[in-house]
Amino acid sequence: MSTTPAPATRRRRPRWRDWLPGLLLISPSLLLVGVFVYGMIGINIHTSLLDSHKASQISGRKPTHFVGLENFTNLFSSPDFQHSFVNLVLFTVAFLAGTLVIGFLWAWLLDRPIKGEGIFRSIFLFPMAVSFVASGIVWRWLLNSAQGEQASGLNRLFDMVGLDFLQNSWTQNTALGILAIALPAVWQLAGYVMALFLAGFRGIPEDLREAARVDGANEWELYKSVIFPQLTPIALSAVIIIGHMSLKSFDLIMSITDQRTYSTKVPAIDMFNFMTDNDYSNAAAVGTVLLVLVAVAVIPYLVHDAKGRN
């Protein structure tokens, strides 16, 4: 007895009625993002390829010309911009190292059963609630470079307790002044990193720790083989978040020093200075450089995260 095979079930083709409502729902957001994000990025890149360096060119009284990568070449050959770029690297390294180390240590201490954990957690997180401008004004006083009888802030404190050798010029130091700016930055964001790591610690099942101890693992082996691997995604997220924030640092530096202080200049400050001098092309070139740096830091993480979800 022969059996006829059942006809193959036809896959229903999606019709425009299926996807059109969703597209209409998100179209305003797509339009706004396309114009005010990607459109503005395109205009910025285009401006960086022109020779618009004077107010007369901005107003249209004089023409602008396409110069290609000339603005970028001039920037990276300029000693001033090289100094700003080195400052950015130093600030980013100090900011990252400080927040990761202090944040991890605070999270490690709070992960242990201690009384008043909520109070300590609130104290550590409080600086994150303060704006960079407000904290920068306070740190401007703390990092005052005056010494001796004219000292104030930290230098005055060191003088009062007999630690005069710790007095220094802080932000006025041409070579390492930017590291003084990293102090308030670490103070303000270490609590945020602490919260990330603490959530990671609390997300590790206690059964997993106990199983490692039963297998004979000591505390160092427990952290090395169990806890640290579980915290790796948290650490990577913290590096990406803090790293891209450090690359764009502007308001904290402006609040502690100002846009003309050579020792604490970074590319974002240079961009502001170019804008105030009506040098739109160089300002756009610096903005493009910062955009590329942030993209290099963020895009690999987004790609890795997308692959991990598939």
Side-chain angles (χ1 to χ4, degrees):
M1 181 176 179
S2 61
T3 58
T4 57
T9 304
R10 291 185 178 180
R11 300 182 64 180
R12 181 172 171 266
R13 295 182 179 179
R15 296 179 300 175
W16 62 270
R17 291 181 180 177
D18 296 331
W19 51 263
L20 184 59
L23 180 61
L24 291 176
L25 182 65
I26 66 173
S27 58
S29 298
L30 291 177
L31 180 62
L32 291 174
V33 170
V35 172
F36 293 104
V37 177
Y38 296 104
M40 295 298 105
I41 289 175
I43 293 174
N44 181 83
I45 294 174
H46 177 261
T47 305
S48 70
L49 303 176
L50 303 176
D51 64 345
S52 180
H53 304 297
K54 299 178 181 179
S56 58
Q57 293 174 301
I58 298 171
S59 62
R61 295 196 305 271
K62 289 187 178 181
T64 58
H65 305 90
F66 181 82
V67 294
L69 300 178
E70 180 180 324
N71 293 320
F72 297 93
T73 304
N74 293 337
L75 274 180
F76 283 100
S77 62
S78 167
D80 284 347
F81 187 75
Q82 291 173 7
H83 173 75
S84 298
F85 203 82
V86 171
N87 275 352
L88 180 63
V89 173
L90 291 175
F91 178 77
T92 300
V93 171
F95 192 14
L96 274 174
T99 51
L100 289 176
V101 172
I102 295 176
F104 177 83
L105 290 177
W106 283 351
W108 178 72
L109 291 172
L110 290 179
D111 185 49
R112 302 174 180 285
I114 59 174
K115 293 183 178 180
E117 176 193 330
I119 297 176
F120 286 110
R121 189 168 60 242
S122 300
I123 292 174
F124 294 156
L125 284 172
F126 173 75
M128 190 178 65
V130 182
S131 71
F132 278 125
V133 174
S135 65
I137 293 173
V138 176
W139 279 94
R140 177 192 287 235
W141 175 80
L142 288 172
L143 298 177
N144 190 290
S145 60
Q147 300 182 23
E149 295 181 356
Q150 304 298 323
S152 64
L154 292 179
N155 281 350
R156 179 61 176 169
L157 175 63
F158 293 147
D159 181 64
M160 292 173 60
V161 299
L163 299 175
D164 298 357
F165 64 94
L166 291 178
Q167 293 184 352
N168 62 79
S169 56
W170 299 110
T171 59
Q172 301 304 314
N173 187 304
T174 304
L176 300 175
I178 191 64
L179 296 181
I181 303 293
L183 289 176
V186 171
W187 170 80
Q188 195 148 8
L189 269 298
Y192 173 71
V193 177
M194 177 272 295
L196 293 178
F197 277 121
L198 185 59
F201 275 118
R202 298 289 166 80
I204 300 174
E206 188 62 31
D207 294 342
L208 195 60
R209 306 187 191 204
E210 290 299 326
R213 293 190 179 100
V214 169
D215 288 340
N218 56 33
E219 284 300 307
W220 166 244
E221 292 172 340
L222 173 64
Y223 276 87
K224 178 182 177 182
S225 303
V226 177
I227 296 179
F228 287 157
Q230 297 288 325
L231 294 179
T232 298
I234 303 293
L236 181 59
S237 298
V239 167
I240 296 300
I241 295 170
I242 300 300
H244 100 272
M245 290 180 65
S246 66
L247 293 175
K248 301 185 298 182
S249 293
F250 175 79
D251 45 358
L252 180 64
I253 300 174
M254 289 282 288
S255 301
I256 297 176
T257 56
D258 56 58
Q259 71 269 28
R260 300 297 178 183
T261 303
Y262 180 78
S263 57
T264 57
K265 274 191 336 104
V266 293
I269 301 293
D270 285 330
M271 181 172 62
F272 178 80
N273 290 338
F274 284 132
M275 285 289 295
T276 56
D277 294 338
N278 294 313
D279 191 347
Y280 278 26
S281 287
N282 276 330
V286 176
T288 303
V289 170
L290 291 177
L291 175 65
V292 171
L293 290 176
V294 172
V296 168
V298 173
I299 290 178
Y301 169 75
L302 296 178
V303 173
H304 178 270
D305 184 62
K307 289 183 178 179
R309 294 183 180 181
N310 293 335

